[in-house]
Amino acid sequence: MPHAPEPDEDDLDGIAPPQPVFHVEQALLGALLLDPHRLGDVTGIAADSFSTAAHAALFAAISSLPPPDPTEHAKNTTWLDQVLASGRGQARGLTASYLHTLVQVCPWPRHTPAYARMVEAEHARRRLQRAAERLVQTIHDVSLPHPVQTVLAEADALAAVVDDIASRFPPRAGVLPRTPAPPPAIASDQTEAVEEEQLLLATATAHPADIDSVRWLLPDDLTLPLHAGLWQCLTTLARRREPVDPVTVLWEAQQRGLLDDGSNPGEVLRLLAEPAGSLEHWGERALQRSLLATADHTGRRIEAYAGDPANTPFQLVVGARRALADIGAVRTRWQHATGTVPPQRPRPAPTTRAGPPTTTAAHAAGTARATR
């Protein structure tokens, strides 16, 4: 988990709180320093749930040390000294004065469970944001030998994070993120995609009997509106069992208004008259691009949702699941296209400090979808 840089010993008390959760973490730690026995009321979080290295180190120290006798704790600072010594092993900048500050800023120690729940919620948002960022980074990693398999594996990891958050914060019906979704990304260089889609259309025109073998390919999988429209013309003519050649496709395109954007009929004819290779090969290439583009948009949508601290965990779960459904739809068609059989594997259980569950929802093992 990324932590804020460790502060110098002299200025730890003067850290400017980056987010409201910083105050929440201070209140929680202050409550536990005042009354260590309240640690039993804290569930669902671990040291890495905190936003700074200093706070994570303090919580780890508090959790690992035996609680002091309440009477002795009220008389001396022995246990606090032990916490400080243990915490300094992970965060050098911790000072006794900062522990005193934490105690002073805690308004109500009896609100410890509420503070812990807030820390858990903020940690869930950060986890979701990091998982979405990893998905987007994977999509744009040009060094991957098998991009689809790797991207789908990251999508599964993201879905596992969403499932874990949902088990802690069961979503409420109809609660959507307030954050606007980003528009789909537009590739800076579409030359390869355009050329391959032209070969797809020309090969389908030359071999219309093969169109039925690529029913998993949809018009929206193609990058250019003209190409998407021409593919729809081809599939329509093939379904009607009407003659298919460049001229009949051009006529169908005119009937659909595809030439209204100024497309040159002669260029469309030339495009449809230069077949090469296998229709299934070009179709699979187009579907792969569509899958990666869908995963990219999904990852950026979830990234935007998680990047807005105003969204609650309930909203994040609903929004993320709706976004992931888009990947699931393309993934199913990819499996049909490639003959992939989904393997069965459980999703990993969440890692938290030992304690009773934070909600009544059970943690169930998920079934991961196929990757190829």
Side-chain angles (χ1 to χ4, degrees), residues 21 38 70 88-89 105 114 119 121 123 139 164 167 174 194 228-229 237 243 258 277 288 306 370:
V21 71
R38 292 189 183 276
R88 277 179 169 169
V105 300
V119 171
H123 182 227
I139 293 164
D164 182 52
S167 69
V194 169
L237 291 172
L258 297 180
Q288 174 175 316

Side-chain angles (χ1 to χ4, degrees), residues 306-352:
D308 185 350
N311 287 323
T312 67
F314 312 106
Q315 292 173 303
L316 294 178
V317 167
V318 173
R321 282 182 166 169
R322 289 200 177 191
L324 286 165
D326 292 342
I327 296 181
V330 185
R331 182 186 203 140
T332 299
R333 293 190 289 117
W334 175 260
Q335 291 167 355
H336 284 302
T338 59
T340 307
V341 178
Q344 301 291 319
R345 68 172 177 82
R347 285 177 176 160
T351 302
T352 59

Side-chain angles (χ1 to χ4, degrees), residues 11-45:
D11 62 5
L12 181 58
D13 293 0
I15 295 177
Q19 304 239 354
V21 71
F22 186 87
H23 296 289
V24 176
E25 292 175 1
Q26 286 189 319
L28 172 61
L29 293 170
L32 296 177
L33 293 172
L34 277 169
D35 189 352
H37 290 273
R38 292 189 183 276
L39 184 64
D41 299 330
V42 176
T43 59
I45 61 174

Side-chain angles (χ1 to χ4, degrees), residues 225-249:
L226 176 62
H227 291 178
L230 290 173
W231 181 249
Q232 195 164 26
C233 293
L234 280 160
T235 56
T236 300
L237 291 172
R239 186 176 66 251
R240 294 174 184 166
R241 300 187 182 278
E242 296 182 6
V244 176
D245 62 38
V247 173
T248 61
V249 176

Side-chain angles (χ1 to χ4, degrees), residues 243-268:
V244 176
D245 62 38
V247 173
T248 61
V249 176
L250 177 65
W251 186 256
E252 182 72 18
Q254 176 180 275
Q255 302 302 302
R256 292 174 176 267
L258 297 180
L259 307 181
D260 293 348
D261 62 356
S263 297
N264 187 316
E267 291 180 359
V268 173

